[in-house]
Structures are given as structure tokens and as C-alpha cells.
Amino acid sequence: MNGPAMSAWRAAGRISRFRIGLFWLSFVQLTAWNSTMLLIGWLLQQLFDALSDSARAGFGAYEIVAALAAAEITRLAVMWAGVVRARCWQHMRGLLRLNLLHAQMRSGGPEAGTPATSSGEAVSRFRDDVDDFLAFVESALNAASKVVLVVGSMLIMLSIEPVIAVAAVLPLVAVVVVTRMASRRLRAARVAYRQSSGAVTALLGEIFGAVLAVKSADAGDHVVRQLALLNERRRDAGLRDQLVTQLLGRFNQMTVDLSVGVVLLLAAPAMHRGDFTVGDLALFVSYTSTLVWVPYYVGQVLSRRRQADVAIDRLTTLLPPSAPDALVAHRRPPDPRPPALSAPSAAPALERLTVCGLTAVHPASGRGVHDVSLTLERGTFTVVTGPAGAGKTTLLRALLGLLPAQAGTVWWNGVVVEDRAEFLVPPRSAYVPQVPRLFSESLRDNLLLGHVDDSGLAPAVRTAALDRDVASMPDGLHTEVGARGVRLSGGQVQRAAVARALVRRPALLVLDDVSSALDVETERRLWDRLLAETGRTLLVVSHRPATIARADQVIRLDDGRVLPGSGRPAPTECLEAAR
């Protein structure tokens, strides 16, 4: 877990204040539903006393039956009012997922979360762990709403027969003790089940994203066997989780049945002594049949609290390291209407970008870049090249803050960039990765990605050398590209990603081997158009000799280090920092 721990109770308290009106209406509805049992039990007492000619009966049988019918109708009406609770839980569920998505989509800053290990694992946490936590909140609200029923029932039964009343609440002690004893095993079982479920979801996501690779390698059987193995592990973990949960639930139910028997057993002598009327017995049976379920609900809260702690731990790992409370931060849902068009913001003029002593190493492999320094002047074309595994992509991503760096400083026009991931975004900088991703939408939507100002769309398409391709498409920019851009060629996907970056009019354009799928003529046309626009600074990874020949500066990497004689002398900022 990143940052300070946040208990399930604390998180539940915070989220209950979101849409607090609906939350209290839900509580009132549940309380009214439970409180009607007090009235029904009392009416049953009056009815049976009237039928047995007991002196306690104060009403006629017909009047009491009519009152019972009215009470049941009221109870049904209160039950239908439960739609308020459903709406309340939907708001809470939406808030949790919106907060998680907000943290995952942030480029940097204090609200940026830690990326999940895989998209499948993220989906598992967004879906299952959110539901586990809300199940705890709902069970806690349900148990709290029974306070009126417990207090009212106990006061009435104590006034009639104290010994039997005390016996009705004794199972609560046993439920609390047993649940506390089983809490550690319950938590361990839930952690194992959620981890195994996340592994299955992650593999499914990888499979659907690499269907062509699996088919071309004739590896379908191996992939299916691996999925079957993970499913077996998930099944075993799920069975253990369900076994512990069901055993605890069965124990709670057993205490309920036992309590009913004890109450009835103790009532028999009282009736023989004449201290109990038939109406009293009916009242006790009515109250006990509902009251003895309270320990079950209390036990459910205690067990779900352990599961909610696991869910909170897993969800918090997706949040900013220093702000675990961001999970339950109150925010309004985004306005579905597009914002009004406004004048595009001009990119801040980049005069000089300086990188000093940048070191970024992957913890698992130990590979990366070491002590890299470079300078990018405005309007220049810099190419980073080197053998496979030299650290080219790592250099670009660490510079942009997309990977954590162990050392190094970046200056923008002589000012230190404190948070690179937050600062180096459009319109200051735009990045096109080696393997671009497109959404299953139209080409136009993929290029704009919600950008309301489309005045730069046509120039971006032309500069990216995509204009001829768009002209040949049946629906032009409105052509659906399919899942991950499957209806486009590899070169078209790369140029579409370049156009998407250009729409934002970035001052610094960072491209990671985006011409690898292009033929010689298309590549030449792409660089001609990119370099024709003065004032834009280009930082590019490439192996192509023709591209390297165009560069104003070539940085050669090998084993994560800049080769001697490569690039330019150490920047002035680096020399001053070294002093």
C-alpha cells in the first residue's frame, strides 16, 4: 500500500457523506422497514389476547386484524422505497471508480496515481474490489438501522420477562468472538482469491491484445493451458475463500436457530406459572424471530470489514502515494456536454531544453540509462540511435516523467522542471510511443481525443503525411478504425499517432521510432513536412540512415550511456550544477 493506511471504517465514513441526503434517506427507509416489526409484534399480542379472552386485550379481534393488514401494507410500501438505496449505491460506486480513473489518467502532479501492473488487474480492482468495499458499507448501514428494532424489542420484552429477553441477545457475544478469531484467515483467503482473479483477468487482457501474435506463432494451445492453470488456481483460492465465508455465515445462522429454541424453551415454564399469556408468547416469537438475526448481521459486518480492508489496500495502490484518501474524495461527475470552443492556447516558446545526469534504471532487469546529459535548442532536430537494448526508449520516457528516474535534472528555458510528468505535456510537449494505441472509434475521434478545437486537424493530418490515406478512405476522417486500429496498416497507425500529437501544437515533439513501418517515399515525405515547420523542436529515436543524416544532433547510446563524441559538449547548466 502506498502511503498511510486507511481503514475500511474511515473510508466508509468519508463516502457516506457523499450524496448525504440519499444516504440518510436510505437509513430512514431501512429503519422504518425494521421498526414496523415492533408494531406487528404488538398487534399480534393484542390479537391472541383477544382470541383467548385475556384481560390484557384492549381491542376487538376484527379491529386488530384490520390494523395488521394496514401494517403489512405499510411495510410493503416501505420496501418499495428501497429504490432510494439502489440509487445511493450507484452514486458511491461511480464516485470510487471516477476517483480511480482520475488518478490513473493524470500525467503528473500530486493527484497522479501509480499505474496498475496490467490492464486486466486494473479492471479487477475497479470492479471486484469496489463492490467488496461497498458491500461492507451496505451491511454496516443495514446493521445500524436495526438499532431501533433492538432497543424497542428489548425494552418491551424486559418489561414482560427479563430472563428470556437476556437469553435472546446472548448469541451476539458468540458471533463477535468467533468472527474475531476467524478474521485473519478470512483476510488471507480474500487476498489470495483477489490476486488469483487479477492474474486471470490480466492474462485475458493480454490474450485479446495479442491474438495475431498467438495465431502466427501457433501458440493457442499453450495460451489455453496457461489460462486453464490460472483458472485452477483461482478456483482453489475461490473455494477456500467461500469455505471460510460460508462456514462463518453458517455458524451465525446456527446461533439464530439455537436462540429461537432457547427462547421458546424458557417461555414454557412462564406460561405454566401464568406469568405469560398467549399474546405474550406471540409477541416474543415475533420479536425473537427478527431479533436473533441481529447477531448474524453483526457477524456479517465484521467479516465483510476484513474483506473491505483487503479491497481498500488493493485500491489504494492505484492512487497517489501520498494521498490514499483520494479514493473517497468527493467530486462531481464530469459534464457530458462538450465545453465551449475557445481560442487554442499557444505553446510556450521553447528556447532550450537541458538534461543533466539523467539516470533511470528498471529495478527488475537493472537496465536503463546512466548519467545522460543533452541539450535541445529551439527548432533543432535531434536523433537518438543505438543498438537494441541501448536505453533509447527509456531515455525518452524518463525525460518526460513517464518512468521514475533515480537521478538527473531537466531545465526548460533555464528553469528546473520539478514534475516532468505534469509539465511536459501538450502544448509544451507531445510524445508518440513506438507502438501507438488507437481506440475503436472514428479516425477523427482518435486524432482529437476530446480536443474541442479542430482547427489544427487538417494541418496535422497533412504534416503527418496522412492526407492521401484519408482521401482514399470511404468515409474520410469519419472512418471507423476498429479495435486498436486494426483496419489501418501499421504505417497508417504510426502516422495517425503523429497527427494526434500535432493537433495539440506542441513546442517539443518526441517520437519513438515512428517511421519503422513506413516505406522510403512515405518516410521522406513525413520528415520533409515535419522539418518544414520552423520553431518546432524534434527529439526522435531512429535507426534509419536517411533520418540520421537529416539530424542537427545525433546522440548515440550503448548499454545505457552516451558514446564519447556523441551529441554536444556538456550543457552549461550541468557544468554549473557540478561546481
Side-chain angles (χ1 to χ4, degrees):
M1 182 174 174
N2 297 334
M6 180 173 58
S7 69
W9 284 113
R10 180 182 171 188
R14 286 288 303 277
I15 200 170
S16 66
R17 295 193 290 273
F18 180 69
R19 297 289 188 271
I20 192 169
L22 283 177
F23 187 83
W24 278 109
L25 280 176
S26 301
F27 178 75
V28 169
Q29 184 266 332
L30 282 172
T31 302
W33 164 263
N34 291 307
S35 299
T36 54
M37 292 307 302
L38 293 175
L39 175 61
I40 290 174
W42 180 79
L43 288 173
L44 285 173
Q45 180 194 42
Q46 298 299 311
L47 175 63
F48 280 95
D49 281 345
L51 292 175
S52 60
D53 295 325
S54 171
R56 294 187 185 181
F59 304 95
Y62 291 110
E63 290 87 346
I64 297 172
V65 170
L68 272 172
E72 285 295 339
I73 293 174
T74 302
R75 185 173 169 82
L76 288 174
V78 172
M79 181 187 70
W80 282 108
V83 67
V84 174
R85 280 187 297 132
R87 185 177 179 185
C88 182
W89 301 132
Q90 289 299 330
H91 277 295
M92 290 182 179
R93 185 175 289 108
L95 174 68
L96 293 173
R97 291 173 177 166
L98 181 62
N99 286 339
L100 289 169
L101 188 62
H102 177 84
Q104 290 290 288
M105 295 297 104
R106 286 282 298 180
S107 298
E111 295 184 341
T114 304
T117 54
S118 68
S119 57
E121 177 67 17
V123 169
S124 173
R125 298 187 188 193
F126 270 63
R127 180 190 61 205
D128 301 330
D129 291 302
V130 166
D131 287 342
D132 278 353
F133 170 62
L134 289 180
F136 159 68
V137 178
E138 185 171 14
S139 62
L141 181 67
N142 192 24
S145 69
K146 295 185 180 297
V147 171
V148 174
L149 174 63
V150 172
V151 173
S153 299
M154 287 301 300
L155 290 176
I156 294 173
M157 290 193 298
L158 284 171
S159 66
I160 299 174
E161 182 55 57
V163 175
I164 301 178
V166 171
V169 298
L170 285 179
L172 177 60
V173 178
V175 168
V176 172
V177 171
V178 171
T179 303
R180 294 280 296 180
M181 293 173 59
S183 62
R184 181 173 298 180
R185 186 177 295 273
L186 187 69
R187 179 184 176 91
R190 179 50 57 101
V191 169
Y193 177 54
R194 284 293 174 241
Q195 288 177 343
S196 58
S197 296
V200 172
T201 309
L203 180 59
L204 284 172
E206 296 293 336
I207 291 173
F208 289 127
V211 171
L212 294 179
V214 173
K215 287 183 176 181
S216 60
D218 194 23
D221 292 339
H222 171 73
V223 170
V224 170
R225 283 195 300 270
Q226 181 67 14
L227 182 61
L229 177 62
L230 292 179
N231 265 318
E232 283 292 318
R233 293 175 182 172
R234 180 176 67 170
R235 187 191 65 177
D236 293 342
L239 286 175
R240 286 192 294 270
D241 180 57
Q242 287 296 315
L243 179 62
V244 175
T245 304
Q246 291 295 330
L247 283 176
L248 194 58
R250 293 303 176 189
F251 172 78
N252 294 341
Q253 291 182 10
M254 181 185 68
T255 61
V256 171
D257 298 335
L258 182 62
S259 297
V260 173
V262 169
V263 169
L264 293 177
L265 190 62
L266 293 176
M271 294 187 68
H272 280 295
R273 293 193 306 267
D275 299 332
F276 242 40
T277 65
V278 176
D280 291 336
L281 179 61
L283 180 143
F284 263 73
V285 170
S286 173
Y287 284 0
T288 303
S289 62
T290 55
L291 190 60
V292 294
W293 278 97
V294 173
Y296 170 78
Y297 290 116
V298 172
Q300 188 180 63
V301 172
L302 295 176
S303 61
R304 285 184 174 177
R305 181 243 171 156
R306 294 298 178 182
Q307 296 172 349
D309 281 337
V310 174
I312 291 293
D313 286 347
R314 285 166 51 84
L315 293 172
T316 306
T317 59
L318 303 179
L319 299 171
S322 59
D325 284 356
L327 176 65
V328 288
H330 297 179
R331 69 173 75 243
R332 293 188 178 276
D335 191 343
R337 296 171 301 178
L341 290 174
S342 59
S345 57
L350 170 61
E351 301 300 333
R352 189 179 194 184
L353 180 75
T354 305
V355 180
C356 291
L358 186 62
T359 298
V361 179
H362 299 277
S365 63
R367 301 182 65 86
V369 292
H370 305 269
D371 195 26
V372 174
S373 298
L374 58 92
T375 299
L376 305 179
E377 300 287 350
R378 179 184 181 183
T380 58
F381 181 27
T382 301
V383 173
V384 180
T385 189
K392 301 180 295 296
T393 296
T394 301
L395 172 61
L396 298 189
R397 293 185 176 181
L399 187 156
L400 296 172
L402 301 177
L403 286 178
Q406 288 74 44
T409 308
V410 176
W411 279 268
W412 179 282
N413 295 343
V415 179
V416 175
V417 178
E418 299 293 346
D419 189 336
R420 295 190 290 274
E422 183 179 30
F423 184 85
L424 293 174
V425 293
R428 298 184 186 93
S429 173
Y431 171 60
V432 180
Q434 192 171 8
V435 183
R437 294 295 183 93
L438 299 183
F439 291 91
S440 182
E441 302 289 345
S442 69
L443 180 58
R444 184 180 189 276
D445 290 338
N446 270 281
L447 299 187
L448 291 176
L449 275 188
H451 199 55
V452 296
D453 176 28
D454 62 353
S455 61
L457 183 58
V461 169
R462 185 184 183 285
T463 303
L466 191 64
D467 48 340
R468 296 181 184 178
D469 302 80
V470 171
S472 65
M473 294 177 183
D475 297 319
L477 286 173
H478 296 284
T479 300
E480 297 290 329
V481 302
R484 297 176 182 265
V486 68
R487 296 177 184 172
L488 304 182
S489 67
Q492 287 174 331
V493 170
Q494 288 180 328
R495 284 174 288 144
V498 173
R500 180 165 60 193
L502 291 171
V503 167
R504 269 72 179 171
R505 300 181 175 90
L508 171 65
L509 183 61
V510 183
L511 308 176
D512 190 354
D513 203 14
V514 296
S515 61
S516 59
L518 303 182
D519 58 75
V520 175
E521 174 58 27
T522 305
E523 181 185 20
R524 182 193 61 76
R525 190 165 65 251
L526 173 65
W527 293 122
D528 283 346
R529 295 181 180 181
L530 283 173
L531 296 174
E533 296 188 10
T534 59
R536 179 180 293 119
T537 307
L538 293 174
L539 176 61
V540 174
V541 166
S542 181
H543 303 279
R544 301 286 183 93
T547 303
I548 296 173
R550 291 172 175 258
D552 300 307
Q553 176 185 200
V554 179
I555 298 173
R556 302 185 186 276
L557 288 180
D558 192 10
D559 197 22
R561 298 183 184 276
V562 179
L563 294 178
S566 174
R568 296 176 179 174
T572 305
E573 290 89 344
C574 300
L575 296 176
E576 292 177 353
R579 297 193 189 102

